[in-house]
Amino acid sequence: MKEKFIQFMQGRYGVDTLNNHALFLVIALFVINIFFNNRIVMLFGYLIWFIVIYRMFSRQTYKRYQENEKYLTAIKPVQQFFNLQKKRMSDRSHKYYRCPSCKQMVRLPKGKGKIIVTCPSCHHKFEKRT
Ligand SMILES: [Zn+2]
Protein backbone atom coordinates (compact mmCIF):
# COMPACT_ATOMS: atom_id res chain seq x y z
CA MET A 1 0.00 0.00 0.00
CA LYS A 2 2.76 2.43 1.00
CA GLU A 3 4.81 1.52 -2.06
CA LYS A 4 1.82 2.08 -4.30
CA PHE A 5 1.34 5.51 -2.79
CA ILE A 6 5.00 6.42 -3.32
CA GLN A 7 4.74 5.22 -6.90
CA PHE A 8 1.59 7.28 -7.37
CA MET A 9 3.23 10.41 -5.97
CA GLN A 10 6.32 10.04 -8.14
CA GLY A 11 6.72 13.06 -10.40
CA ARG A 12 3.88 14.83 -8.67
CA TYR A 13 4.26 18.11 -6.93
CA GLY A 14 3.25 17.52 -3.30
CA VAL A 15 3.06 20.04 -0.49
CA ASP A 16 4.57 23.52 -0.39
CA THR A 17 4.06 26.72 1.59
CA LEU A 18 1.25 27.93 -0.65
CA ASN A 19 -0.63 24.64 -0.22
CA ASN A 20 -0.04 24.64 3.53
CA HIS A 21 -1.36 28.17 3.93
CA ALA A 22 -4.30 27.52 1.62
CA LEU A 23 -5.22 24.41 3.59
CA PHE A 24 -5.00 26.39 6.80
CA LEU A 25 -7.32 28.99 5.27
CA VAL A 26 -9.78 26.25 4.29
CA ILE A 27 -9.84 24.90 7.84
CA ALA A 28 -10.25 28.42 9.23
CA LEU A 29 -13.12 29.10 6.80
CA PHE A 30 -14.89 25.89 7.78
CA VAL A 31 -14.46 26.56 11.49
CA ILE A 32 -15.77 30.12 11.13
CA ASN A 33 -18.59 28.82 9.01
CA ILE A 34 -19.80 26.58 11.85
CA PHE A 35 -21.22 29.80 13.32
CA PHE A 36 -22.44 31.46 10.14
CA ASN A 37 -23.42 28.47 8.04
CA ASN A 38 -23.02 30.49 4.87
CA ARG A 39 -23.25 28.52 1.63
CA ILE A 40 -20.96 30.84 -0.34
CA VAL A 41 -18.22 30.62 2.30
CA MET A 42 -18.61 26.83 2.23
CA LEU A 43 -18.34 26.76 -1.55
CA PHE A 44 -15.32 29.05 -1.45
CA GLY A 45 -13.67 26.72 1.06
CA TYR A 46 -14.28 23.68 -1.12
CA LEU A 47 -12.96 25.55 -4.14
CA ILE A 48 -9.66 26.33 -2.37
CA TRP A 49 -9.51 22.75 -1.12
CA PHE A 50 -9.94 21.52 -4.67
CA ILE A 51 -7.13 23.80 -5.88
CA VAL A 52 -4.85 22.52 -3.08
CA ILE A 53 -5.51 18.89 -4.06
CA TYR A 54 -5.05 19.72 -7.73
CA ARG A 55 -1.70 21.38 -7.00
CA MET A 56 -0.55 18.48 -4.82
CA PHE A 57 -1.12 15.87 -7.51
CA SER A 58 -0.06 18.05 -10.41
CA ARG A 59 2.70 16.74 -12.65
CA GLN A 60 3.62 20.23 -13.85
CA THR A 61 6.02 20.67 -10.96
CA TYR A 62 7.81 23.64 -12.49
CA LYS A 63 4.60 25.63 -12.88
CA ARG A 64 3.57 24.80 -9.30
CA TYR A 65 7.05 25.74 -8.09
CA GLN A 66 6.75 29.12 -9.79
CA GLU A 67 3.33 29.72 -8.21
CA ASN A 68 4.80 29.00 -4.82
CA GLU A 69 7.74 31.33 -5.46
CA LYS A 70 5.34 34.11 -6.46
CA TYR A 71 3.35 33.53 -3.32
CA LEU A 72 6.47 33.59 -1.14
CA THR A 73 7.55 36.89 -2.71
CA ALA A 74 4.09 38.33 -2.12
CA ILE A 75 3.97 37.42 1.58
CA LYS A 76 7.60 38.31 2.31
CA PRO A 77 6.80 41.78 3.75
CA VAL A 78 4.15 40.22 6.00
CA GLN A 79 6.58 37.57 7.24
CA GLN A 80 9.28 40.18 7.81
CA PHE A 81 6.83 42.24 9.82
CA PHE A 82 5.95 39.30 12.06
CA ASN A 83 9.60 38.30 12.45
CA LEU A 84 10.40 41.84 13.54
CA GLN A 85 7.55 41.83 16.08
CA LYS A 86 8.76 38.49 17.42
CA LYS A 87 12.29 39.85 17.83
CA ARG A 88 11.00 42.99 19.53
CA MET A 89 8.94 40.90 21.95
CA SER A 90 11.73 38.48 22.85
CA ASP A 91 14.59 40.98 23.10
CA ARG A 92 13.76 43.70 25.63
CA SER A 93 17.27 45.15 25.86
CA HIS A 94 17.57 46.15 22.20
CA LYS A 95 15.62 48.12 19.65
CA TYR A 96 15.28 47.03 16.05
CA TYR A 97 15.18 49.44 13.17
CA ARG A 98 15.40 49.20 9.45
CA CYS A 99 17.96 51.26 7.59
CA PRO A 100 15.96 53.88 5.64
CA SER A 101 18.29 53.55 2.69
CA CYS A 102 18.80 49.78 2.18
CA LYS A 103 16.20 48.25 4.56
CA GLN A 104 18.86 46.27 6.41
CA MET A 105 17.82 45.45 9.99
CA VAL A 106 19.96 47.10 12.66
CA ARG A 107 19.91 46.25 16.35
CA LEU A 108 20.56 49.06 18.83
CA PRO A 109 21.04 48.89 22.60
CA LYS A 110 18.15 50.46 24.49
CA GLY A 111 18.41 53.51 26.72
CA LYS A 112 21.34 55.29 25.07
CA GLY A 113 19.34 58.39 24.12
CA LYS A 114 19.65 59.94 20.69
CA ILE A 115 22.40 58.31 18.66
CA ILE A 116 23.74 58.45 15.13
CA VAL A 117 23.49 55.02 13.58
CA THR A 118 25.75 53.90 10.78
CA CYS A 119 24.19 51.13 8.73
CA PRO A 120 26.52 48.09 8.73
CA SER A 121 25.65 47.20 5.18
CA CYS A 122 25.47 50.50 3.22
CA HIS A 123 27.11 52.92 5.74
CA HIS A 124 24.19 55.31 5.51
CA LYS A 125 23.96 57.45 8.67
CA PHE A 126 20.66 58.17 10.40
CA GLU A 127 19.52 59.39 13.80
CA LYS A 128 17.49 57.25 16.22
CA ARG A 129 16.32 57.54 19.79
CA THR A 130 16.93 54.35 21.77
ZN1 LIG B 1 21.69 50.60 4.95
Side-chain angles (χ1 to χ4, degrees):
M1 183 61 205
K2 200 183 166 194
E3 267 167 40
K4 263 193 178 162
F5 181 70
I6 290 168
Q7 219 170 41
F8 175 72
M9 284 307 287
Q10 215 142 57
R12 292 176 198 268
Y13 186 64
V15 184
D16 61 8
T17 312
L18 177 54
N19 268 357
N20 270 334
H21 287 186
L23 212 58
F24 186 77
L25 179 69
V26 170
I27 293 165
L29 276 179
F30 285 163
V31 169
I32 292 166
N33 211 31
I34 290 171
F35 305 104
F36 296 101
N37 206 12
N38 185 309
R39 223 179 249 170
I40 292 161
V41 173
M42 202 72 182
L43 219 68
F44 190 61
Y46 277 122
L47 183 73
I48 299 170
W49 200 353
F50 177 78
I51 293 169
V52 169
I53 290 167
Y54 170 78
R55 290 189 76 249
M56 259 175 81
F57 296 127
S58 172
R59 287 186 187 276
Q60 290 168 298
T61 49
Y62 185 64
K63 257 189 183 171
R64 301 291 89 81
Y65 172 78
Q66 278 187 319
E67 285 165 5
N68 191 51
E69 286 298 299
K70 263 186 207 163
Y71 177 69
L72 288 178
T73 315
I75 62 164
K76 206 178 171 192
V78 181
Q79 281 187 322
Q80 277 178 340
F81 174 78
F82 280 111
N83 282 345
L84 181 60
Q85 296 313 315
K86 220 161 91 186
K87 263 187 191 164
R88 277 183 176 149
M89 295 289 273
S90 63
D91 185 358
R92 293 265 174 222
S93 55
H94 291 90
K95 278 200 165 184
Y96 291 85
Y97 289 109
R98 247 174 226 297
C99 166
S101 150
C102 72
K103 309 294 176 219
Q104 162 77 38
M105 182 82 73
V106 287
R107 191 181 73 157
L108 307 172
K110 247 182 190 175
K112 300 279 181 203
K114 228 181 209 177
I115 55 171
I116 305 283
V117 184
T118 307
C119 170
S121 121
C122 72
H123 303 290
H124 175 77
K125 284 181 166 62
F126 57 100
E127 209 179 67
K128 278 289 170 199
R129 180 173 287 282
T130 64

Short mmCIF file of all heavy atoms in Angstrom, two decimals, residues 19 22-27 29-30 41-57:
data_model
loop_
_atom_site.label_atom_id
_atom_site.label_comp_id
_atom_site.label_asym_id
_atom_site.label_seq_id
_atom_site.Cartn_x
_atom_site.Cartn_y
_atom_site.Cartn_z
N ASN A 19 0.37 25.66 -0.54
CA ASN A 19 -0.63 24.64 -0.22
C ASN A 19 -0.92 24.60 1.28
O ASN A 19 -2.08 24.50 1.68
CB ASN A 19 -0.16 23.26 -0.69
CG ASN A 19 -0.64 22.95 -2.09
OD1 ASN A 19 -1.38 23.74 -2.68
ND2 ASN A 19 -0.23 21.82 -2.61
N ALA A 22 -2.95 27.63 2.20
CA ALA A 22 -4.30 27.52 1.62
C ALA A 22 -5.14 26.53 2.43
O ALA A 22 -6.31 26.79 2.71
CB ALA A 22 -4.21 27.09 0.16
N LEU A 23 -4.52 25.43 2.80
CA LEU A 23 -5.22 24.41 3.59
C LEU A 23 -5.62 24.97 4.95
O LEU A 23 -6.71 24.72 5.45
CB LEU A 23 -4.31 23.19 3.76
CG LEU A 23 -5.03 21.85 3.84
CD1 LEU A 23 -5.88 21.60 2.61
CD2 LEU A 23 -4.03 20.73 4.02
N PHE A 24 -4.72 25.74 5.53
CA PHE A 24 -5.00 26.39 6.80
C PHE A 24 -6.19 27.33 6.66
O PHE A 24 -7.07 27.37 7.52
CB PHE A 24 -3.75 27.15 7.27
CG PHE A 24 -3.90 27.73 8.64
CD1 PHE A 24 -3.79 26.90 9.75
CD2 PHE A 24 -4.16 29.07 8.82
CE1 PHE A 24 -3.93 27.43 11.03
CE2 PHE A 24 -4.30 29.61 10.09
CZ PHE A 24 -4.19 28.78 11.19
N LEU A 25 -6.21 28.07 5.55
CA LEU A 25 -7.32 28.99 5.27
C LEU A 25 -8.63 28.23 5.14
O LEU A 25 -9.66 28.65 5.66
CB LEU A 25 -7.02 29.76 3.97
CG LEU A 25 -8.10 30.75 3.51
CD1 LEU A 25 -8.17 31.95 4.46
CD2 LEU A 25 -7.81 31.24 2.10
N VAL A 26 -8.58 27.08 4.46
CA VAL A 26 -9.78 26.25 4.29
C VAL A 26 -10.32 25.83 5.66
O VAL A 26 -11.52 25.98 5.94
CB VAL A 26 -9.47 25.00 3.43
CG1 VAL A 26 -10.64 24.02 3.47
CG2 VAL A 26 -9.16 25.40 2.00
N ILE A 27 -9.42 25.34 6.51
CA ILE A 27 -9.84 24.90 7.84
C ILE A 27 -10.44 26.07 8.62
O ILE A 27 -11.50 25.95 9.24
CB ILE A 27 -8.65 24.27 8.62
CG1 ILE A 27 -8.21 22.97 7.93
CG2 ILE A 27 -9.03 24.00 10.06
CD1 ILE A 27 -6.85 22.46 8.37
N LEU A 29 -11.82 28.77 7.39
CA LEU A 29 -13.12 29.10 6.80
C LEU A 29 -14.21 28.16 7.31
O LEU A 29 -15.30 28.60 7.67
CB LEU A 29 -13.04 29.00 5.27
CG LEU A 29 -12.50 30.22 4.52
CD1 LEU A 29 -12.48 29.94 3.02
CD2 LEU A 29 -13.33 31.45 4.80
N PHE A 30 -13.90 26.86 7.35
CA PHE A 30 -14.89 25.89 7.78
C PHE A 30 -15.24 26.06 9.25
O PHE A 30 -16.39 25.93 9.65
CB PHE A 30 -14.41 24.46 7.49
CG PHE A 30 -14.50 24.09 6.03
CD1 PHE A 30 -13.80 23.01 5.53
CD2 PHE A 30 -15.30 24.82 5.16
CE1 PHE A 30 -13.88 22.67 4.18
CE2 PHE A 30 -15.39 24.49 3.81
CZ PHE A 30 -14.68 23.41 3.33
N VAL A 41 -19.49 30.86 1.60
CA VAL A 41 -18.22 30.62 2.30
C VAL A 41 -17.83 29.16 2.17
O VAL A 41 -16.68 28.81 1.90
CB VAL A 41 -18.33 31.05 3.79
CG1 VAL A 41 -17.08 30.65 4.56
CG2 VAL A 41 -18.56 32.55 3.90
N MET A 42 -18.81 28.28 2.34
CA MET A 42 -18.61 26.83 2.23
C MET A 42 -18.07 26.47 0.84
O MET A 42 -17.10 25.74 0.70
CB MET A 42 -19.97 26.15 2.47
CG MET A 42 -19.87 24.73 2.89
SD MET A 42 -19.30 24.64 4.59
CE MET A 42 -19.25 22.87 4.76
N LEU A 43 -18.72 27.04 -0.17
CA LEU A 43 -18.34 26.76 -1.55
C LEU A 43 -16.93 27.26 -1.83
O LEU A 43 -16.12 26.59 -2.47
CB LEU A 43 -19.33 27.49 -2.47
CG LEU A 43 -19.75 26.73 -3.72
CD1 LEU A 43 -20.59 25.52 -3.34
CD2 LEU A 43 -20.53 27.65 -4.64
N PHE A 44 -16.63 28.45 -1.31
CA PHE A 44 -15.32 29.05 -1.45
C PHE A 44 -14.26 28.15 -0.81
O PHE A 44 -13.20 27.90 -1.40
CB PHE A 44 -15.35 30.44 -0.79
CG PHE A 44 -14.14 31.26 -1.07
CD1 PHE A 44 -13.80 31.61 -2.37
CD2 PHE A 44 -13.34 31.69 -0.02
CE1 PHE A 44 -12.68 32.36 -2.61
CE2 PHE A 44 -12.21 32.45 -0.27
CZ PHE A 44 -11.89 32.78 -1.57
N GLY A 45 -14.58 27.63 0.37
CA GLY A 45 -13.67 26.72 1.06
C GLY A 45 -13.39 25.47 0.25
O GLY A 45 -12.24 25.06 0.08
N TYR A 46 -14.45 24.88 -0.30
CA TYR A 46 -14.28 23.68 -1.12
C TYR A 46 -13.47 23.97 -2.37
O TYR A 46 -12.68 23.14 -2.81
CB TYR A 46 -15.65 23.10 -1.51
CG TYR A 46 -16.24 22.24 -0.42
CD1 TYR A 46 -17.49 22.53 0.12
CD2 TYR A 46 -15.54 21.13 0.06
CE1 TYR A 46 -18.04 21.75 1.12
CE2 TYR A 46 -16.08 20.35 1.06
CZ TYR A 46 -17.33 20.65 1.60
OH TYR A 46 -17.84 19.88 2.58
N LEU A 47 -13.69 25.16 -2.93
CA LEU A 47 -12.96 25.55 -4.14
C LEU A 47 -11.46 25.61 -3.86
O LEU A 47 -10.65 25.07 -4.62
CB LEU A 47 -13.47 26.91 -4.63
CG LEU A 47 -12.84 27.41 -5.93
CD1 LEU A 47 -13.37 26.61 -7.11
CD2 LEU A 47 -13.13 28.89 -6.13
N ILE A 48 -11.08 26.25 -2.74
CA ILE A 48 -9.66 26.33 -2.37
C ILE A 48 -9.12 24.93 -2.11
O ILE A 48 -8.02 24.59 -2.55
CB ILE A 48 -9.46 27.23 -1.13
CG1 ILE A 48 -9.94 28.66 -1.43
CG2 ILE A 48 -7.99 27.28 -0.74
CD1 ILE A 48 -9.99 29.53 -0.20
N TRP A 49 -9.90 24.13 -1.42
CA TRP A 49 -9.51 22.75 -1.12
C TRP A 49 -9.22 21.99 -2.41
O TRP A 49 -8.22 21.28 -2.54
CB TRP A 49 -10.64 22.08 -0.35
CG TRP A 49 -10.21 20.87 0.43
CD1 TRP A 49 -8.98 20.28 0.39
CD2 TRP A 49 -10.99 20.14 1.36
NE1 TRP A 49 -8.96 19.22 1.24
CE2 TRP A 49 -10.19 19.10 1.85
CE3 TRP A 49 -12.30 20.26 1.82
CZ2 TRP A 49 -10.65 18.19 2.78
CZ3 TRP A 49 -12.75 19.33 2.75
CH2 TRP A 49 -11.93 18.31 3.23
N PHE A 50 -10.11 22.18 -3.38
CA PHE A 50 -9.94 21.52 -4.67
C PHE A 50 -8.63 21.96 -5.33
O PHE A 50 -7.89 21.14 -5.87
CB PHE A 50 -11.15 21.87 -5.57
CG PHE A 50 -11.04 21.30 -6.95
CD1 PHE A 50 -11.32 19.96 -7.18
CD2 PHE A 50 -10.65 22.10 -8.00
CE1 PHE A 50 -11.21 19.42 -8.45
CE2 PHE A 50 -10.54 21.57 -9.28
CZ PHE A 50 -10.82 20.23 -9.50
N ILE A 51 -8.36 23.27 -5.27
CA ILE A 51 -7.13 23.80 -5.88
C ILE A 51 -5.90 23.20 -5.19
O ILE A 51 -4.93 22.82 -5.84
CB ILE A 51 -7.11 25.35 -5.82
CG1 ILE A 51 -8.20 25.91 -6.72
CG2 ILE A 51 -5.74 25.88 -6.23
CD1 ILE A 51 -8.46 27.40 -6.54
N VAL A 52 -5.97 23.10 -3.84
CA VAL A 52 -4.85 22.52 -3.08
C VAL A 52 -4.59 21.08 -3.54
O VAL A 52 -3.46 20.70 -3.82
CB VAL A 52 -5.14 22.55 -1.56
CG1 VAL A 52 -4.12 21.70 -0.79
CG2 VAL A 52 -5.12 23.98 -1.04
N ILE A 53 -5.65 20.29 -3.64
CA ILE A 53 -5.51 18.89 -4.06
C ILE A 53 -4.98 18.82 -5.49
O ILE A 53 -4.09 18.04 -5.80
CB ILE A 53 -6.86 18.14 -3.91
CG1 ILE A 53 -7.16 17.99 -2.41
CG2 ILE A 53 -6.82 16.79 -4.58
CD1 ILE A 53 -8.57 17.56 -2.10
N TYR A 54 -5.52 19.69 -6.34
CA TYR A 54 -5.05 19.72 -7.73
C TYR A 54 -3.56 20.02 -7.79
O TYR A 54 -2.80 19.38 -8.51
CB TYR A 54 -5.85 20.78 -8.51
CG TYR A 54 -5.27 21.04 -9.88
CD1 TYR A 54 -5.51 20.16 -10.93
CD2 TYR A 54 -4.47 22.16 -10.12
CE1 TYR A 54 -4.96 20.37 -12.17
CE2 TYR A 54 -3.92 22.38 -11.37
CZ TYR A 54 -4.17 21.49 -12.39
OH TYR A 54 -3.62 21.71 -13.62
N ARG A 55 -3.12 21.00 -6.99
CA ARG A 55 -1.70 21.38 -7.00
C ARG A 55 -0.82 20.26 -6.45
O ARG A 55 0.26 20.01 -6.95
CB ARG A 55 -1.48 22.66 -6.18
CG ARG A 55 -2.08 23.90 -6.84
CD ARG A 55 -1.66 25.17 -6.14
NE ARG A 55 -0.29 25.53 -6.45
CZ ARG A 55 0.72 25.49 -5.59
NH1 ARG A 55 0.52 25.13 -4.35
NH2 ARG A 55 1.93 25.82 -5.97
N MET A 56 -1.32 19.57 -5.42
CA MET A 56 -0.55 18.48 -4.82
C MET A 56 -0.25 17.36 -5.81
O MET A 56 0.85 16.82 -5.85
CB MET A 56 -1.34 17.89 -3.64
CG MET A 56 -0.87 18.36 -2.30
SD MET A 56 -1.94 17.73 -1.01
CE MET A 56 -1.28 16.09 -0.80
N PHE A 57 -1.27 17.01 -6.61
CA PHE A 57 -1.12 15.87 -7.51
C PHE A 57 -0.71 16.28 -8.92
O PHE A 57 -0.64 15.45 -9.82
CB PHE A 57 -2.43 15.06 -7.55
CG PHE A 57 -2.75 14.45 -6.21
CD1 PHE A 57 -3.98 14.65 -5.63
CD2 PHE A 57 -1.80 13.71 -5.54
CE1 PHE A 57 -4.27 14.10 -4.39
CE2 PHE A 57 -2.08 13.15 -4.30
CZ PHE A 57 -3.31 13.36 -3.73
#
